[in-house]
Amino acid sequence: MLDIKLIREQPDHVKAKMARAGTSADVIDRILGYDEERRRLETEAGGLRNERNVGSKGMATCKGEAEREALKTAMRALGDRISEIDGRLGGINEEQSSLMLTLPNLPDARVPEGRTEAENVLVRQVGEPRTFDFVPKPHWEIGANLGILDLERGVKISGSRFYVLKGAGAALQRALITFFLDLHVHEHGHTEIYPPFVVKRECLVGTSQLPKFEDNQYHDVEDDLWLVPTAEVPVTNLHRDEILDAHKLPIRYVAYTPCFRREKMSAGRDVRGIKRGHQFDKVEMVRICAPETSDAELHSLTGHAEEACRRLGIPFRTMLVCAGEKGEFNTLQYDIELWAPKSKGDEGGEWLEVSSCSNFGDFQARRMGLRFRREKGAKPEFCHTLNGSGLALPRVMIAVLENYQNEDGSVTVPPVLRQYMSGLERITARE
RNA sequence: GGAGAGAUGGCUGAGUGGUCGAUAGCGGCGGUUUGCUAAACCGUUGUAGGCUUUAUACCCUACCCCGGGUUCGAAUCCCGGUCUCUCCGCCA
């Protein structure tokens, strides 16, 4: 959420920045209209309340009965006017705040211009795609041949875009999760969190999935609980409505959770394999910090995600995401992509997005009342929040299977994962 | 799931219709005293909006879990909800 004062004082600046991501400026004018009306009514109601408070105090020390009745009548009239104004105020507040909740964030000046993925800017690439001396297979074939990935039975029990991992496939996923957690906890200084996998509505509002992306969420209507689409939601909301001591910042959390997404919009896209499903596992890093350190935090966060890729020994590249492609609620976003040589089947390989590292500035913090205090007696200020995957599992699985495949159909286990797989060096077909 | 109790400032805990943003204690902060520490004493100590103003000053308003209601007036009375605790039942 943006600061209403900023909108009020620099509307043209706000409009110009929002235009970069293709957002219309009309909504700003509507908000300003509501804001002006709101403040006018609040001032009016405040004055009337003051009048009533003074009058009511006089009531206790009133002398004559006639005077008392007259005062009572006058106060009752005042009360009626106040409730009338409050009624209008309630409506206006609701209109204004629901508009405020739909506004995007203002992009950082470093966000490149552009509408599509093609306009993202390459920041760095590490490693070169492997050249094969045999014809490599896509992961769905590798997985099926090894008996570690069962797409058909996933569909049978849960519907399209669900899959089953089996044997060494399930173990590989578990190894990746543990590897990522250990890396970010023991070497990158994060505290591990195990959060609930369902949250209240207000949490989704806090991190901005609601109201905008309601149709992408799995929602239990009976208890109004929502399956988390990412660990970002429960973990960032851990400190909602809190005022943190400055010396506790930055807070660095890492959490493994499954993620649930309807992905209604993308029917027909990325249908082959396990690239895009309704349920996937992810290890997510979340940071809460003071405003002046969030840029450094974003870069360390991105570096930590890159390190996970580096240790897997798979080529990756880091992209600075352009205005039209980045998440509309962050200020700056880096995507990290792992090379997958046959992910598009006969069309060949592609860079798979396995992490998205974003700085949200105070946007989420405002929505969830997440503040900190620099020192005793100082005014509370909004924190900055960030998050980034470290990493998203199915796509890492794709990259591992496709990059580490051998001519005989087996898959070499990346050295860094072997300690998490009872020393297994190679996944081969089994009964 | 059943029965009962409760929710008040950073914490503990008073307050049952007006003089209550709220007694008191603890903690915190400032000060006095003081070889040091401790103790004692004095003072101070919430959030947000109106509101960027020379000023974190003054003033006004709201907030005692949340939402409604009664009333001239609600922390206090009534209704609904949420959460917590105790006991019982059930269960990884």
Side-chain angles (χ1 to χ4, degrees), chain A residues 175-188 190-193 254-257 282-284 390-391 420:
Chain A
L176 284 165
I177 292 166
T178 313
F179 162 59
F180 292 147
L181 286 173
D182 279 355
L183 174 66
H184 299 313
V185 169
H186 299 301
E187 300 189 48
H188 295 156
H190 295 74
T191 301
E192 185 173 348
I193 299 291
V254 63
Y256 154 75
T257 69
K282 183 156 62 65
V283 170
E284 182 82 3
L391 307 163
Y420 299 109

Side-chain angles (χ1 to χ4, degrees), chain A residues 10-273:
Chain A
Q10 303 182 50
D12 295 334
H13 172 250
V14 170
K15 287 177 189 171
K17 283 212 162 184
M18 289 198 342
R20 293 195 62 203
T23 309
S24 150
D26 302 351
V27 64
I28 294 295
D29 291 323
R30 292 179 57 203
I31 286 173
L32 284 171
Y34 286 131
D35 184 52
E36 199 184 329
E37 179 72 352
R38 200 201 85 235
R39 286 188 294 156
R40 196 180 64 73
L41 291 175
E42 269 178 11
T43 304
E44 193 182 344
L48 293 175
R49 280 208 168 82
N50 183 27
E51 217 177 306
R52 183 178 68 179
N53 289 344
V54 171
S56 292
K57 269 178 192 164
M59 183 82 60
T61 57
C62 218
K63 316 115 201 158
E65 191 61 29
E67 188 182 339
R68 195 180 165 80
E69 279 310 313
L71 192 53
K72 207 166 168 176
T73 309
M75 291 304 108
R76 202 192 322 257
L78 262 183
D80 289 345
R81 284 176 64 196
I82 292 171
S83 355
E84 192 265 329
I85 292 172
D86 278 350
R88 279 198 282 158
L89 213 38
I92 285 167
N93 267 327
E94 205 168 305
E95 293 289 341
Q96 186 183 354
S97 56
S98 71
L99 282 181
M100 288 290 286
L101 285 176
T102 64
L103 283 187
N105 204 345
L106 305 182
D108 187 284
R110 290 165 290 179
V111 172
E113 292 299 336
R115 290 274 86 89
T116 70
E117 208 180 319
E119 287 147 302
N120 294 344
V121 173
L122 177 68
V123 176
R124 69 186 74 87
Q125 178 178 329
V126 174
E128 286 299 325
R130 172 184 170 189
T131 51
F132 290 87
D133 49 14
F134 58 93
V135 180
K137 294 185 169 65
H139 68 277
W140 57 87
E141 284 181 25
I142 301 168
N145 292 341
L146 290 173
I148 61 174
L149 169 63
D150 191 338
L151 293 163
E152 292 75 13
R153 289 197 177 90
V155 173
K156 178 170 73 178
I157 61 176
S158 300
S160 68
R161 291 184 185 277
F162 285 95
Y163 57 87
V164 174
L165 296 174
K166 194 174 157 192
L172 177 60
Q173 170 146 300
R174 186 158 47 85
L176 284 165
I177 292 166
T178 313
F179 162 59
F180 292 147
L181 286 173
D182 279 355
L183 174 66
H184 299 313
V185 169
H186 299 301
E187 300 189 48
H188 295 156
H190 295 74
T191 301
E192 185 173 348
I193 299 291
Y194 171 85
F197 298 161
V198 292
V199 292
K200 297 179 186 179
R201 164 181 249 111
E202 65 204 53
C203 292
L204 277 305
V205 173
T207 36
S208 331
Q209 283 79 12
L210 289 182
K212 183 123 188 187
F213 302 118
E214 174 152 3
D215 59 2
N216 204 28
Q217 314 300 325
Y218 284 102
H219 178 206
D220 165 51
V221 178
E222 191 169 359
D223 295 321
D224 195 22
L225 284 174
W226 303 65
L227 268 63
V228 298
T230 160
E232 165 195 352
V233 179
V235 177
T236 313
N237 276 282
L238 243 28
H239 297 289
R240 76 165 17 253
D241 293 321
E242 291 185 22
I243 301 175
L244 304 166
D245 288 338
H247 70 264
K248 289 196 173 158
L249 304 179
I251 289 173
R252 295 175 176 169
Y253 289 139
V254 63
Y256 154 75
T257 69
C259 304
F260 301 94
R261 301 183 184 179
R262 286 192 193 279
E263 303 282 7
K264 271 189 185 167
M265 331 298 263
S266 56
R269 268 185 74 191
D270 306 321
V271 283
R272 302 222 62 176

Side-chain angles (χ1 to χ4, degrees), chain A residues 183-431:
Chain A
L183 174 66
H184 299 313
V185 169
H186 299 301
E187 300 189 48
H188 295 156
H190 295 74
T191 301
E192 185 173 348
I193 299 291
Y194 171 85
F197 298 161
V198 292
V199 292
K200 297 179 186 179
R201 164 181 249 111
E202 65 204 53
C203 292
L204 277 305
V205 173
T207 36
S208 331
Q209 283 79 12
L210 289 182
K212 183 123 188 187
F213 302 118
E214 174 152 3
D215 59 2
N216 204 28
Q217 314 300 325
Y218 284 102
H219 178 206
D220 165 51
V221 178
E222 191 169 359
D223 295 321
D224 195 22
L225 284 174
W226 303 65
L227 268 63
V228 298
T230 160
E232 165 195 352
V233 179
V235 177
T236 313
N237 276 282
L238 243 28
H239 297 289
R240 76 165 17 253
D241 293 321
E242 291 185 22
I243 301 175
L244 304 166
D245 288 338
H247 70 264
K248 289 196 173 158
L249 304 179
I251 289 173
R252 295 175 176 169
Y253 289 139
V254 63
Y256 154 75
T257 69
C259 304
F260 301 94
R261 301 183 184 179
R262 286 192 193 279
E263 303 282 7
K264 271 189 185 167
M265 331 298 263
S266 56
R269 268 185 74 191
D270 306 321
V271 283
R272 302 222 62 176
I274 61 173
K275 180 175 166 187
R276 188 183 297 270
H278 292 308
Q279 172 188 325
F280 64 97
D281 282 13
K282 183 156 62 65
V283 170
E284 182 82 3
M285 293 177 276
V286 170
R287 308 246 171 126
I288 299 170
C289 66
E292 63 274 18
T293 65
S294 70
D295 195 58
E297 288 296 325
L298 175 64
H299 291 93
S300 98
L301 178 68
T302 307
H304 292 161
E306 288 174 334
E307 183 60 22
C309 297
R310 191 175 282 112
R311 297 214 188 171
L312 286 170
I314 298 171
F316 68 91
R317 62 180 197 180
T318 301
M319 312 295 289
L320 181 54
V321 183
C322 73
E325 269 293 299
K326 77 169 187 60
E328 61 184 306
F329 301 117
N330 62 46
T331 61
L332 193 62
Q333 174 183 340
Y334 290 97
D335 280 0
I336 300 171
E337 304 174 340
L338 276 182
W339 177 250
K342 287 292 278 188
S343 177
K344 294 169 91 173
D346 292 339
E347 292 174 51
E350 69 176 322
W351 294 95
L352 284 179
E353 183 189 326
V354 293
S355 179
S356 195
C357 301
S358 307
N359 186 354
F360 287 83
D362 63 9
F363 192 86
Q364 294 180 326
R366 282 179 190 283
R367 288 173 164 243
M368 65 177 79
L370 169 53
R371 294 176 294 171
F372 77 106
R373 208 190 295 274
R374 288 187 191 273
E375 57 201 36
K376 296 244 187 314
K379 273 224 177 296
E381 299 173 51
F382 287 107
C383 299
H384 278 198
T385 61
L386 307 94
N387 62 69
S389 344
L391 307 163
L393 273 292
R395 296 184 183 175
V396 174
M397 290 274 287
I398 294 173
V400 167
L401 294 178
E402 294 187 2
N403 282 286
Y404 280 90
Q405 64 178 298
N406 303 307
E407 189 165 13
D408 65 0
S410 67
V411 170
T412 302
V413 176
V416 75
L417 297 180
R418 290 176 191 168
Q419 61 169 306
Y420 299 109
M421 295 186 71
S422 308
L424 185 70
E425 292 180 11
R426 183 180 277 241
I427 300 172
T428 53
R430 294 188 170 218
E431 261 315 291

